[in-house]
Structure formats: structure tokens, C-alpha cells
Amino acid sequence: MTSLAAMRELSGSQDGFGGDLRFGETGPGAGLRGADKICATIAEKSLPGAGSKTWRAFLSAAAGEDGKQVNAIDRIGEGPWYDRLGRLVANEKEELLNTRPSGADAAIMNDLPNEDGVPNHQPDPGQPAVDNHDTLTGSNAQGQLQGATATCKDWTAKTGDRAEGGPQLGHSWPRGGGGGPGGGGSGSHWITSHNAPGCAPGVTIVDIGGPQQGSNTVGGGGGYGGIYCFALTP
């Protein structure tokens, strides 16, 4: 899970990237390639040498470089996958495709950690927990594309215009309750729970009970536009 601090640093904005993850990439598939580069850059900053691995963001898209649909679950290799501190997330895809990764270490199953191995729900142990559960995926419970409007124009859009759609989100930690507007999952599902109100950059980490009227940001319901990152090799 990419931390808020890292997303702010790489985007150069306190509001993060929003739904535009190109990160300097251009052409077809730029959103996915940029997101992968974000993952590799953050990994290297956390652990020198780790950025040399092949990193993939857990994101689906309506069209990749070849114009064909891309499913997040097909991008990340076959496992196993571990967090920054060597704790097991899942042995293989079957364990990943559950409400929470079924093979995960008990310490992280219900609070997927950031690039430093720190729990996302309470990244600063000296401060109260924050409401930052929403995570960009564009995916359904099978890790496949949720729909044509669920990816911020394949991770290239950030104006917040309704024509850009609303990105599908998973929950890095169980928020509880139903999946909310745009559903497709439960409030506990790490891959798919609901969609964000828009693709604009924005950070909301104080519990305000869901997106406020008129909100159009990726973080409007409790988040900051974070993404999950997987290395193809342990």
C-alpha cells in the first residue's frame, strides 16, 4: 500500500495524484505504466535495491498498451507475496481473491501495511487512527475490470469532471457496513467496495461519514488515492 507521505512527495502535491497516475509516461497504457513506476520508485525509497524488481500496481484498465482490457489480477505474477517486513500477504491468487487475503499474516490481514511495513490505519503510532481506507483498484471481487467508468479514463484523468467516472475502490482495512454507492463489494473487501465520487486529487483522513455533497475527489470517502503494489518476485 503506497503511503500518503509517498504519494504526496512523488506527486508534488499535498492532494496526491488523484486519478492521473501517468507519472511522466505517455501514449497508450501510460496510466498503468506510470502507476508501476510509482510503485518501483516508492519501493526503492523504502528499501534501496528493491526498486530493481519488477513492480505492478494492482489496477485494472479498459485498455492497455495493446488496446485490450487489463485485469489487475493478471498483472501481479503468481505469488507468493510478502510485505516490507517479510510477513506473508498471500501464497497465490486463490488466497488473494477473498474479502481479506486468506493466507495473510494475522498482523496485517485486516490492515494492509504501507511500503515501510507500517499499518495503514494508524501510520503514526503516536497519533490516533485515521480514516484512510479507500484504495484505487478499478476492479471487481475477481480482480477484473469493474467497468468502463471505474478507472479514471485508465488512470489518466484528474479534473473531477463527472464524465471521467468514479474509480472503483477497495479497503486497505475493513471499514464495515455495506459497499456504499457504486457498490460491488462489502465494506471489508480489500479489492472492491464502492466507487469514489470523482477523479480529482484530494485527501480525506478524518472520518466525516462518507463523501460530502459535491465532492469529486478520489479521497472523498476516506482516503488519498493510494494504490496496492506487488513485485513479480519475492
Side-chain angles (χ1 to χ4, degrees), residues 104-163:
D105 186 298
I108 62 175
M109 177 184 292
N110 288 321
D111 195 349
L112 297 173
N114 66 24
E115 67 271 7
D116 296 319
V118 176
N120 194 45
H121 195 187
Q122 193 171 6
D124 185 343
Q127 298 293 324
V130 293
D131 190 31
N132 62 357
H133 54 283
D134 285 344
T135 307
L136 301 173
T137 69
S139 305
N140 63 21
Q142 289 73 49
Q144 300 169 341
L145 179 68
Q146 172 71 14
T149 62
T151 69
C152 294
K153 295 188 174 179
D154 291 341
W155 315 112
T156 66
K158 64 175 184 179
T159 66
D161 187 289
R162 297 298 179 185

Side-chain angles (χ1 to χ4, degrees), residues 30-197:
L32 290 178
R33 289 198 311 276
D36 295 343
K37 188 164 69 173
I38 289 169
C39 287
T41 303
I42 290 175
E44 181 67 22
K45 286 179 175 292
S46 176
L47 181 64
S52 64
K53 295 184 178 183
T54 301
W55 288 89
R56 294 287 182 265
F58 191 89
L59 295 170
S60 294
E65 288 185 274
D66 60 2
K68 296 180 180 179
Q69 177 176 316
V70 178
N71 297 317
I73 195 65
D74 298 329
R75 310 191 72 237
I76 61 171
E78 301 300 324
W81 303 278
Y82 301 88
D83 83 331
R84 169 70 168 77
L85 302 182
R87 296 171 294 193
L88 182 67
V89 176
N91 287 295
E92 35 75 32
K93 292 179 180 178
E94 185 177 353
E95 291 182 354
L96 280 177
L97 294 176
N98 291 281
T99 301
R100 308 302 300 176
S102 63
D105 186 298
I108 62 175
M109 177 184 292
N110 288 321
D111 195 349
L112 297 173
N114 66 24
E115 67 271 7
D116 296 319
V118 176
N120 194 45
H121 195 187
Q122 193 171 6
D124 185 343
Q127 298 293 324
V130 293
D131 190 31
N132 62 357
H133 54 283
D134 285 344
T135 307
L136 301 173
T137 69
S139 305
N140 63 21
Q142 289 73 49
Q144 300 169 341
L145 179 68
Q146 172 71 14
T149 62
T151 69
C152 294
K153 295 188 174 179
D154 291 341
W155 315 112
T156 66
K158 64 175 184 179
T159 66
D161 187 289
R162 297 298 179 185
E164 294 174 343
Q168 190 71 8
L169 307 166
H171 285 179
S172 61
W173 47 270
R175 183 65 173 85
S186 75
S188 297
H189 209 294
W190 77 274
I191 300 175
T192 189
S193 182
H194 58 89
N195 59 0

Side-chain angles (χ1 to χ4, degrees), residues 197-233:
C199 295
V203 174
T204 305
I205 57 175
V206 176
D207 191 349
I208 57 175
Q212 301 299 292
Q213 186 174 3
S215 174
N216 66 348
T217 76
V218 295
Y224 50 88
I227 58 177
Y228 300 121
C229 297
F230 287 75
L232 297 191
T233 55

